[in-house]
Amino acid sequence: MDQSYILTQARLSLAYDIEASKPEHEILILKNVPLKTYLVVEEEQWRILRRFKDGMPLQELLPLLITERKSPPLRSLYELVMKAVVAGILLVDGENQAAQQQNRAVEWDHRLRFGMAHWFGVGAILFGFLAVLFRPLGTPTNLIEILVGWLLICGSLTVGYFLSACLLVGFDREVYDTRFRWKHVLPHFHCNVEDGRMAGRMCEMSVALMQLAPMFFTTGITALWFTDLVYLLLMGVFFVTLPSGRSPASLLLRSLYRRYPLSTGHDFIFVQNRLLWTLINSRLKFTDKSYLLIFGAYTLIWLFTVFMANLSAFGLNVGELKNLYLTSSAATVTVIIVLLQMAATILGSLAMISWIVAMNILHVVEQLRMRMQSKPKLLNHEMSGEDIVQFLSGTLLLKGVREEILYELAERVRGVIVDPKQHVFKEGEPGDDLYFVLNGGVEVLMSLKSGRPLRVTELGPGDVFGEVALLHNVPRTRSIRAARKSLLLALSREDFQKLIVGSIGVRDVEAIIRKQSFLHRIELCRNWHPQAMTAFSRLATLAEFQPGDVVIKKGMRNQFFYLIYDGLLEVIVEGKRVSTLATGEFFGEISLLQNSTATADIVAITGSRCLVVQRRDFLNFIGKDFLVGLQFEDISSKRLKHPIFPLTGVAYDDFSERY
């Protein structure tokens, strides 16, 4: 199942035959009736799913949710959509992606009334408990009694499931997968009563009581009149009250004390939710701690009861068991087993740590090897035509350019060696050449009013600079200085215009060099997909600001996302500078994601340039790439020191009509 396609491009629509249970503590259960699949959601999540009634891609819905201040955390939203698709609640391009379930509803002509069944269940359990409590625990004396006891247990289990199915139909619910379990240690009739949760907790509780009642009632009868069978029947009671799996007792406990676990809070499908730290956080957040405590206490009581029942049945006491244990070889065996387990745990942990360290060392070695291989092979600073063509074809600017043009460029370029701190050119000088960084690195500098140069960024192998003067016939707008000894390839203005601009086009050359190459260098975009960088560069325009310009004013209706291309800006709150923003940093995303007004002034300190994206385009952009959306959500939440989604309160302004 292509998650990227489903979350970004697919047209999602609500399936037709969906049933919703009554909300309980703002949680309800959705059921795809034909498929017999379920989804536990919050009321707000159900309202989001209903937005797909007429069909739309998620990338169209997300900007609307943000505009209306109703967006949930994005991880939760993506998990909800994926779980809804798997459960058949949402269709993908009109097709159901849910796996065909094995659950089959059966025609069940028998039904029980709730009141009578409920009180019968409670009464039978009390009767069996009291009868066993005040009567001696007899044990079978021959094989006939063992066989009779085994048959009574199998029959009680069969009657319990049969009555629970009748009660389920009495609640107007469906019975699934009726069959006889022949291969079970206790063969019995069995049915799936999962549909009971659609009728609420009272139905689940009554169904569980009805499954327990026959076993307790039969045990009570044997305690009164057939004492030799009591111990065997009591084993049947312990089986139906087992504190694990899908036992009737576990179902009863869940119906009494457990909150319905949200489908978006466990067994994650969305790939980003499967990261270790996310799994740990979700476990801590969504675990029903009160139910866990109750279930733990029940487990201890169950174990203690089983232990005491066995002591009573065989006439033993704790002191006798202790002496028997110590005088036998069992104590020695136990110590050996414990020591072996401890040794295995320690050795296993050391092996795991060693493996992790070894894999990290191998990764570092591999990275170093790749870096060494990626360096151009220089011999007296000369390269063959094939080497130059290979280098040029790997640059961002010339990817996809025809091979004959690359070979002609390889003949026209010339090598330029610059020493550390040596200027390639200075701001204000006329420009005649375009430069490729072949090896080493250069610094981009801008001149402040004081005359002091300000380092804007650094360019490395594969980067291109010097295009502004050639494209717009203006002096150099920035100074370029070697950060270390470097080898550059220079291309004349005439060859640049003829071979590159003529092949690619002015607009694309400018977008690639000034935008995409910049995006490749900054931390924000380091993990973006190339298509995301291309899309962002096409959406962004380059805006210039003079020293003292107010880019954003507190309380204004911000309509843009800003990414600093070069220059310095300051963040002012209540007249005080609280931080300084430089190249690669960004601002404005919080007010866009919150649909609120700006909370601080942003003022240019130096002449600055920013890549600016309109609000509509920015929201569409993060909707088209869920990884980028998660990144901005995480960054904004860290800046706010609390999760940005879900939004609370009322928006300062409302852009919904203008969106």
Side-chain angles (χ1 to χ4, degrees), residues 132 136-154 156-157 186 215 218-220 222-223 226-240 309-310 313-314:
V132 172
L137 294 182
T139 56
T141 58
N142 53 63
L143 289 177
I144 298 297
E145 290 180 348
I146 293 176
L147 179 61
V148 171
W150 179 76
L151 290 173
L152 286 174
I153 294 174
C154 296
S156 298
L157 289 172
L186 298 170
M215 186 63 69
T218 304
T219 304
T222 57
F226 307 98
T227 55
D228 288 347
L229 300 178
V230 173
Y231 178 75
L232 277 178
L233 268 297
L234 198 58
M235 292 302 101
V237 170
F238 290 143
F239 175 75
V240 296
N310 281 280
F314 295 101

Side-chain angles (χ1 to χ4, degrees), residues 37-49:
T37 52
Y38 302 89
L39 190 71
V40 182
V41 297
E42 297 174 317
E43 287 188 275
E44 186 58 38
Q45 291 177 328
W46 177 219
R47 281 192 282 270
I48 290 174
L49 292 177

Side-chain angles (χ1 to χ4, degrees), residues 196-372:
R197 57 181 176 171
M198 293 297 295
R201 292 186 182 274
M202 185 59 70
C203 177
E204 281 191 299
M205 180 177 64
S206 301
V207 167
L209 287 172
M210 196 52 58
Q211 290 178 347
L212 292 168
M215 186 63 69
F216 275 88
F217 184 77
T218 304
T219 304
I221 294 296
T222 57
L224 294 178
W225 289 289
F226 307 98
T227 55
D228 288 347
L229 300 178
V230 173
Y231 178 75
L232 277 178
L233 268 297
L234 198 58
M235 292 302 101
V237 170
F238 290 143
F239 175 75
V240 296
T241 57
L242 194 68
S244 64
R246 295 180 177 271
S247 70
S250 297
L251 176 60
L252 181 61
L253 279 177
R254 289 197 298 269
S255 65
L256 288 172
Y257 300 109
R258 189 180 187 183
R259 300 193 306 267
Y260 288 124
L262 290 174
S263 296
T264 53
H266 63 94
D267 297 333
F268 293 124
I269 296 177
F270 177 49
V271 62
Q272 293 302 112
N273 282 342
R274 294 184 174 183
L275 302 177
L276 179 60
W277 186 243
T278 304
L279 292 172
I280 294 173
N281 282 339
S282 67
R283 181 67 64 182
L284 295 175
K285 179 179 178 181
F286 293 108
T287 298
D288 190 342
K289 299 178 181 59
S290 60
Y291 171 74
L292 192 62
L293 182 63
I294 292 170
F295 192 81
Y298 171 74
T299 302
L300 292 176
I301 293 172
W302 184 87
L303 291 172
F304 177 77
T305 304
V306 172
F307 179 70
M308 294 305 296
N310 281 280
L311 290 182
S312 177
F314 295 101
L316 299 174
N317 58 57
V318 177
E320 290 177 354
L321 287 177
K322 178 182 177 182
N323 293 331
L324 181 63
Y325 177 77
L326 293 175
T327 55
S328 68
S329 60
T332 304
V333 174
T334 302
V335 172
I336 293 174
I337 292 174
V338 170
L339 290 176
L340 288 175
Q341 288 179 334
M342 292 176 62
T345 302
I346 293 172
L347 292 175
S349 300
L350 291 175
M352 179 61 71
I353 293 172
S354 301
W355 181 80
I356 293 173
V357 171
M359 292 302 294
N360 279 275
I361 292 175
L362 289 174
H363 177 72
V364 171
V365 171
E366 181 65 18
Q367 292 295 316
L368 290 175
R369 186 182 67 83
M370 291 177 63
R371 289 181 183 178
M372 294 297 294

Side-chain angles (χ1 to χ4, degrees), residues 328-607:
S328 68
S329 60
T332 304
V333 174
T334 302
V335 172
I336 293 174
I337 292 174
V338 170
L339 290 176
L340 288 175
Q341 288 179 334
M342 292 176 62
T345 302
I346 293 172
L347 292 175
S349 300
L350 291 175
M352 179 61 71
I353 293 172
S354 301
W355 181 80
I356 293 173
V357 171
M359 292 302 294
N360 279 275
I361 292 175
L362 289 174
H363 177 72
V364 171
V365 171
E366 181 65 18
Q367 292 295 316
L368 290 175
R369 186 182 67 83
M370 291 177 63
R371 289 181 183 178
M372 294 297 294
Q373 290 181 347
S374 66
K375 290 183 179 180
K377 296 178 181 179
L378 301 179
L379 183 60
N380 297 326
H381 309 301
E382 294 182 359
M383 297 179 66
S384 68
E386 292 291 338
D387 290 335
I388 296 177
V389 168
Q390 184 178 0
F391 167 75
L392 293 175
S393 65
T395 62
L396 184 65
L397 176 62
L398 300 177
K399 279 185 178 179
V401 172
R402 298 195 312 274
E403 193 173 81
E404 56 267 25
I405 294 179
L406 294 177
Y407 274 100
E408 190 168 353
L409 284 170
E411 294 177 358
R412 302 295 182 91
V413 295
R414 64 185 188 279
V416 177
I417 300 173
V418 287
D419 295 320
K421 304 302 180 181
Q422 177 185 348
H423 279 82
V424 181
F425 53 74
K426 293 185 178 181
E427 186 174 333
E429 292 180 353
D432 296 319
D433 295 314
L434 177 80
Y435 293 90
F436 295 88
V437 181
L438 181 63
N439 192 16
V442 297
E443 299 173 313
V444 181
L445 308 174
M446 67 178 294
S447 299
L448 302 177
K449 285 185 177 181
S450 62
R452 180 176 64 87
L454 174 67
R455 183 180 182 276
V456 174
T457 189
E458 181 174 320
L459 306 178
D463 284 328
V464 184
F465 62 91
E467 81 290 347
V468 176
L470 304 187
L471 287 172
H472 303 288
N473 197 26
V474 295
R476 299 293 190 185
T477 57
R478 295 289 184 266
S479 299
I480 303 294
R481 184 177 65 186
R484 49 195 171 276
K485 189 168 184 176
S486 304
L487 177 60
L488 312 177
L489 295 179
L491 184 69
S492 68
R493 179 193 294 269
E494 293 76 15
D495 291 334
F496 168 70
Q497 293 288 349
K498 177 183 176 182
L499 297 176
I500 295 181
V501 176
S503 175
I504 301 175
V506 175
R507 184 176 179 182
D508 286 342
V509 168
E510 187 170 16
I512 293 172
I513 296 179
R514 302 184 68 182
K515 298 177 185 177
Q516 291 196 52
S517 62
F518 166 73
L519 296 177
H520 273 81
R521 296 194 302 270
I522 63 175
E523 181 69 25
L524 173 67
C525 310
R526 180 164 297 173
N527 296 318
W528 284 13
H529 191 278
Q531 292 179 353
M533 291 193 188
T534 301
F536 187 88
S537 65
R538 289 175 177 173
L539 295 173
T541 56
L542 198 62
E544 296 190 9
F545 302 97
Q546 300 303 317
D549 285 352
V550 178
V551 182
I552 291 181
K553 188 171 182 60
K554 181 179 179 180
M556 74 176 287
R557 294 179 172 181
N558 177 40
Q559 296 273 24
F560 301 98
F561 169 76
Y562 298 86
L563 175 58
I564 301 175
Y565 186 83
D566 59 25
L568 290 176
L569 297 95
E570 59 183 348
V571 182
I572 300 177
V573 177
E574 296 180 354
K576 297 181 180 179
R577 178 191 293 182
V578 295
S579 64
T580 302
L581 304 176
T583 299
E585 297 186 274
F586 54 92
F587 55 93
E589 85 288 351
I590 292 179
S591 56
L592 298 185
L593 293 176
Q594 286 193 326
N595 189 12
S596 61
T597 55
T599 57
D601 295 333
I602 308 293
V603 181
I605 300 175
T606 65

Side-chain angles (χ1 to χ4, degrees), residues 13-137:
S13 55
L14 194 64
Y16 301 108
D17 201 351
I18 303 298
E19 180 184 0
S21 68
K22 292 182 179 179
E24 182 178 322
H25 303 298
E26 298 184 351
I27 293 177
L28 52 88
I29 303 171
L30 305 178
K31 176 185 177 183
N32 184 309
V33 177
L35 292 178
K36 323 299 184 210
T37 52
Y38 302 89
L39 190 71
V40 182
V41 297
E42 297 174 317
E43 287 188 275
E44 186 58 38
Q45 291 177 328
W46 177 219
R47 281 192 282 270
I48 290 174
L49 292 177
R50 290 205 300 267
R51 301 284 291 268
F52 292 106
K53 182 179 179 181
D54 297 325
M56 68 166 61
L58 178 60
Q59 69 176 33
E60 291 184 10
L61 178 60
L62 180 58
L64 296 176
L65 293 174
I66 292 175
T67 300
E68 299 165 5
R69 297 178 59 86
K70 293 180 180 179
S71 175
L74 296 186
R75 287 180 184 273
S76 175
L77 176 62
Y78 296 143
E79 187 70 37
L80 172 66
V81 170
M82 290 307 306
K83 285 284 179 66
V85 168
V86 170
I89 306 299
L90 289 180
L91 307 180
V92 178
D93 296 330
E95 299 291 332
N96 204 314
Q97 303 294 311
Q100 188 64 38
Q101 300 295 308
Q102 298 301 316
N103 295 338
R104 297 183 299 276
V106 298
E107 294 293 334
W108 197 265
D109 298 328
H110 316 285
R111 67 172 60 215
L112 283 177
R113 291 173 52 194
F114 159 70
M116 177 184 68
H118 187 80
W119 290 113
F120 168 71
V122 173
I125 292 173
L126 288 176
F127 167 70
F129 176 77
L130 293 174
V132 172
L133 187 63
F134 294 106
R135 298 287 292 177
L137 294 182

